[in-house]
Amino acid sequence: MSARIHLLSGLGDKGPAAIVVETNGKRLLLDAGGALHPGEPITWADGLDVDAILISHDHIDHIGGVAELPDTVPLYCTPLVAKTLPKHRAWQPLPARGSLMVEGIKVTTGQAGHSLGGVWLHLDVDGGIFYSGDACFESRLFPFDTPPPARTALLDASYGNYDQPQESCVQAIRLQLDQPLVLPVPETGRALEMALWLSEEADHCQFPFAIDPIIRDNLAALLALPSDLRRPGLDSAISALLERRNASQPALQLVSDRNDTPDQWPNYQLLHTGYLTPERQVQLAAGEISWQRWNVHLRASHLVALADQLRATQVVPLFTLLTGHCLSEWRQRLGQRLRIHRTLEIQPHTATRPTAHLTV
């Protein structure tokens, strides 16, 4: 069975995720990303005709464009991700870990290590097409499941050639805990694992601590899932944190990133730990906020390791710069497997070694 992959958005820079896989007369949309920056139009959805939509997770750059598509198109996501869909949008369940048939195509899912309810997607199309969504090997809370082999790998490369281990990031944040801090975080992503870590630090260093109610709710939702959908040995720590009351005058607050501007927190230093919009970059340059990454995406060496694990013969690094020095680095890391075309055509096996060719 041949396939054609159209990278509508997400290739060459950080941007909305939207990929169409066309095979056997059917068109499946992998993610329906919304704009990362206020006021930016969503152009990838203009005139788009697909048979089904598969959503990897609930962050805006992967789900925020659903409203641009007809409500009549079948949409698949996990139940926790469905909570973020537009009101009354019909959906069908993706397993947190398992397989189902979508428009005659076998789709396998697994835990992606990035967020509550998030999954990677594998399409059983001649040799396999793997789409990581956003993924991470280093989460203290969310597991990453080993995917089936795939000739074609569409991988989260949001961090480019960055390769700093998580423990180094944690230590850098630890050094800033001696001042009043607010950490705005995605409420279904790093918020949950950072809440556990910060509660441990608060106990050790004896500073008053508070977390946003929505983060508590999401921790409770995670605890209610089957135990194999979180890292082992954490249930008692999650339960203890849920029972812990917020300090009345906290020195450190973990809040939803909907509340992430300096004027909302006049007596605190804002410490951001993820992607910065252009507005936040200006604030960082002016010293109005601080920034230190907490790893929630694949580091460069992990991306290569995943490509090797998949036995992929062609790899598309998504959500990253692919020009100049960055492109040279990717060529060194991925060699002949690197693909940067917006359209890929995958032909059936014609020899003992898989073959594929590309069209622009």
Side-chain angles (χ1 to χ4, degrees), residues 25 58 82 112 117 131 161 169 183 205 225 244 252 268 300 333 347:
D58 65 2
Y131 170 57
N161 291 293
C169 302
L183 291 92
C205 300
L225 294 174
R244 178 178 185 162
L252 188 148
Y268 292 86
R333 289 185 181 273
Q347 299 297 328

Side-chain angles (χ1 to χ4, degrees), residues 244-267:
R244 178 178 185 162
R245 298 181 63 180
N246 282 342
S248 57
Q249 293 182 313
L252 188 148
Q253 300 196 54
L254 192 69
V255 303
S256 167
D257 58 3
R258 304 177 195 181
N259 306 308
D260 66 347
T261 58
D263 58 0
Q264 293 172 289
W265 307 99
N267 299 316

Side-chain angles (χ1 to χ4, degrees), residues 1-6 19-30 49-52 54 101-107 122-129 151-152 343-349:
M1 185 188 301
S2 62
R4 178 174 290 183
I5 302 172
H6 306 274
I19 299 163
V20 170
V21 177
E22 185 176 359
T23 184
N24 202 27
K26 299 295 183 179
R27 291 164 57 86
L28 305 187
L29 176 66
L30 311 184
D49 180 21
V50 294
D51 296 288
L54 304 173
M101 299 300 292
V102 177
E103 301 295 324
I105 300 164
K106 183 181 178 182
V107 176
H122 179 283
L123 277 58
D124 188 14
V125 175
D126 196 67
I129 297 172
R151 293 170 62 200
T152 301
T343 300
L344 290 78
E345 287 203 25
I346 305 170
Q347 299 297 328
H349 290 260

Side-chain angles (χ1 to χ4, degrees), residues 277-345:
T277 64
E279 180 184 3
R280 298 291 171 266
Q281 292 176 24
V282 170
Q283 292 170 345
L284 179 64
E288 298 174 5
I289 63 172
S290 300
W291 181 83
Q292 169 56 51
R293 176 174 284 145
W294 176 287
N295 290 353
V296 292
H297 296 277
L298 295 168
R299 294 195 271 123
S301 60
H302 290 171
L303 182 145
V304 175
L306 180 54
D308 291 341
Q309 185 180 70
L310 291 163
R311 302 199 294 273
T313 58
Q314 54 182 1
V315 180
V316 182
L318 298 171
F319 323 130
T320 190
L321 287 174
L322 289 170
T323 57
H325 176 71
C326 293
L327 179 56
S328 298
E329 288 286 331
W330 282 119
R331 290 194 187 283
Q332 290 181 10
R333 289 185 181 273
L334 295 172
Q336 294 301 311
R337 295 183 295 181
L338 177 67
R339 298 292 183 264
I340 58 173
H341 297 72
R342 290 204 174 273
T343 300
L344 290 78
E345 287 203 25

Side-chain angles (χ1 to χ4, degrees), residues 15 20 31 40 63 66 69 79 84 113 144 149 163 170 173 177 187 192 196 204 228 246 256 292 299 322 327 348:
V20 170
D31 278 341
E40 282 189 352
I63 199 173
V66 166
L69 300 168
T84 315
F144 183 92
D163 210 17
V170 171
I173 295 174
L177 300 182
E187 57 204 35
L192 280 65
L196 286 179
H204 178 72
D228 62 352
N246 282 342
S256 167
Q292 169 56 51
R299 294 195 271 123
L322 289 170
L327 179 56

Side-chain angles (χ1 to χ4, degrees), residues 74-94:
L75 184 147
Y76 295 79
C77 63
T78 65
L80 288 171
V81 169
K83 295 180 179 180
T84 315
L85 291 171
K87 194 174 181 180
H88 305 309
R89 179 53 161 99
W91 59 280
Q92 299 182 49
L94 277 178

